[in-house]
Amino acid sequence: MNIIFRLLSICLTLLGLLSMVTTQAVAEISKITSTGAPYTGPTSMPWPLSASLSDPTDRYPHGVLGRIPSFTTLTVEAQICEGCPEARVSARLTLPAPLVFEDVAPRLWDITGDGRPEIVVVQSHENLGARLTVWTLRDTQEEAAPLFRMIAATDFIGTRFRWLAPFGAGDFTGDGAIEIAYVETPHLGKVLRLVGLEGDRLVEQASLAGVTNHRIGEETISGTVRSCDGRTEAILAASDWRRMVAVHWQNGALSSRDLGPLRDVGELTRNDSCG
């Protein structure tokens, strides 16, 4: 019995440490700087203009993105408010071990539906693999609050060196809410997942197996989201990379239709017009 209690205690301690690491990453307080004339008008949440990853690391040597390494730092350049003439802020978030950013670049997508872009980026854990995260910036006047706040995330895939490839967002299901589209394990499982914001989580709304948008070593993520006749659909490769497919919402589930042979991977991104 003593051995069982000791093992239970060790497991609880490890879970506690993981929770602390995740919380530390979310609550990281970085330096905020202004680059431009001081802004004296009304303040609001900063409006992200660009985002980038830096500070490469080898502590998670997955190598799935070819020459693109994992990174530890996310930097966002933002205006104090939408349309402000010159005032800018620069915010940096650095992840502690065992977390890294494992992505080609952060995306500025409106996930909440308020018109303001959030920052969408893939984060990986050295033992649990990847998850999708959505971040926002605090009001510049709230000096006691963390600069970055992770407003939602999927669960980690659960296995080391398992990755996901986001490629677009839109209202696929027609309910007025925005879903993020990504392919989970595009080299193995090849499953399209649509996730939507529910509280502080990204919750799966639908999935479809047998499609992909990335091959090991590629330094870009393929695929696109387009709207045709009022219907949002995803353009992806079939699992064998021989055909191109359009995936859309039909009768309460995802359905795919063939678009013809896939001659080169660039077609998946260029095929953003209906026809």
Side-chain angles (χ1 to χ4, degrees):
M1 289 294 289
N2 288 337
I3 293 176
I4 293 175
F5 281 122
R6 278 199 291 268
L7 290 173
L8 179 60
S9 176
I10 291 171
C11 290
L12 290 173
T13 300
L14 290 173
L15 287 173
L17 289 173
L18 176 58
S19 176
M20 288 172 63
V21 166
T22 305
T23 301
Q24 182 182 356
V26 174
E28 177 84 359
I29 299 178
S30 305
K31 182 181 180 183
I32 190 165
T33 58
S34 176
T35 57
Y39 176 66
T40 58
T43 60
S44 64
M45 296 288 288
W47 189 278
L49 299 173
S50 64
S52 60
L53 300 175
S54 59
D55 297 334
T57 179
D58 60 1
R59 70 187 185 209
Y60 188 68
H62 191 186
V64 74
L65 292 172
R67 294 169 297 175
I68 299 176
S70 299
F71 298 95
T72 60
T73 300
L74 167 65
T75 301
V76 176
E77 303 292 331
Q79 287 179 312
I80 295 296
C81 60
E82 181 188 14
C84 295
E86 295 183 7
R88 304 289 176 89
V89 294
S90 178
R92 288 167 56 89
L93 170 70
T94 299
L95 295 178
L99 298 170
V100 297
F101 294 112
E102 189 181 15
D103 210 335
V104 295
R107 300 149 196 84
L108 298 182
W109 291 345
D110 176 21
I111 304 305
T112 61
D114 64 355
R116 182 187 309 277
E118 284 75 43
I119 303 103
V120 179
V121 63
V122 179
Q123 184 189 81
S124 290
H125 184 284
E126 66 179 20
N127 296 321
L128 302 176
R131 67 174 176 178
L132 191 63
T133 63
V134 179
W135 301 78
T136 190
L137 297 174
R138 67 158 164 82
D139 190 308
T140 55
Q141 300 301 303
E142 297 175 357
E143 296 183 359
L147 281 179
F148 283 88
R149 181 169 65 91
M150 189 173 72
I151 62 173
T154 63
D155 293 332
F156 289 105
I157 293 175
T159 302
R160 177 176 170 86
F161 293 161
R162 295 293 183 268
W163 184 67
L164 57 88
F167 63 93
D171 180 11
F172 283 85
T173 61
D175 62 355
I178 298 171
E179 291 91 30
I180 305 175
Y182 67 87
V183 178
E184 182 175 292
T185 56
H187 323 117
L188 297 171
K190 303 181 181 180
V191 178
L192 167 64
R193 298 196 188 278
L194 302 181
V195 293
L197 187 63
E198 293 186 13
D200 61 353
R201 298 186 62 224
L202 293 175
V203 177
E204 183 175 310
Q205 308 298 311
S207 64
L208 181 73
V211 293
T212 187
N213 65 341
H214 187 267
R215 290 177 286 200
I216 292 175
E218 289 180 337
E219 297 177 1
T220 59
I221 294 174
S222 301
T224 192
V225 171
R226 68 185 188 183
S227 180
C228 294
D229 299 323
R231 182 173 67 183
T232 302
E233 58 184 15
I235 307 302
L236 295 165
S239 60
D240 61 2
W241 285 95
R242 295 181 179 179
R243 310 290 293 182
M244 187 163 49
V245 298
V247 181
H248 60 272
W249 185 258
Q250 183 174 333
N251 299 324
L254 288 176
S255 178
S256 66
R257 74 179 192 278
D258 184 80
L259 294 179
L262 178 59
R263 297 176 180 84
D264 72 84
V265 68
E267 290 184 282
L268 298 176
T269 303
R270 293 193 299 268
N271 201 329
D272 57 357
S273 60
C274 307

